[in-house]
Amino acid sequence: MRFAACVVGIVALFAVGIVAAASPGALSVDAQRHVTRFSDALNALSEGASGKRANVQANRALELLVKDISAAGDEALAALAGHYLGESTEPECEILARGARMLPLLMRFTRNPPTVHLPASPVHSRSELIDQINNAERCD
């Protein structure tokens, strides 16, 4: 009897893990790390953090994000797309440069946006980026 209860408990925990991992708006741990690092740095700047240190942190977070060509980097860029990411167009240009492989992530996050603590972009939306990729547009 105890064995059956243990098996049922393990199966239930496994099922809960699968449901949580399969949540459409959820990010992988590595992608969430990028998103958090970048959004924290930008929010610190927008809240009045001044000085060279705050700028260095924001620039470093952007550099790490753009240089990460892994699946987690793709996921983080797609999650951040459509949010205000500072004056740089580098994230949008990187998404366009990565091209078609970004489409499933952009579409996923258009349908089920992840939680990102940044304001919406006044310039770019995920839908616009999808259209630009489909039209083979690139940054100049």
Side-chain angles (χ1 to χ4, degrees), residues 5 35 52 70 75 108 123:
V35 169
K52 189 175 181 178
S70 71
E75 186 180 10
R108 173 180 145 201
V123 180

Side-chain angles (χ1 to χ4, degrees), residues 3-15:
F3 177 75
C6 285
V7 169
V8 169
I10 290 171
V11 169
L13 288 173
F14 183 69

Side-chain angles (χ1 to χ4, degrees), residues 74-85:
D74 289 355
E75 186 180 10
L77 280 170
L80 288 165
H83 292 86
Y84 178 71
L85 305 179

Side-chain angles (χ1 to χ4, degrees), residues 112-128:
N112 300 293
T115 301
V116 176
H117 301 289
L118 291 169
S121 171
V123 180
H124 298 285
S125 70
R126 286 188 192 99
S127 297
E128 289 171 325

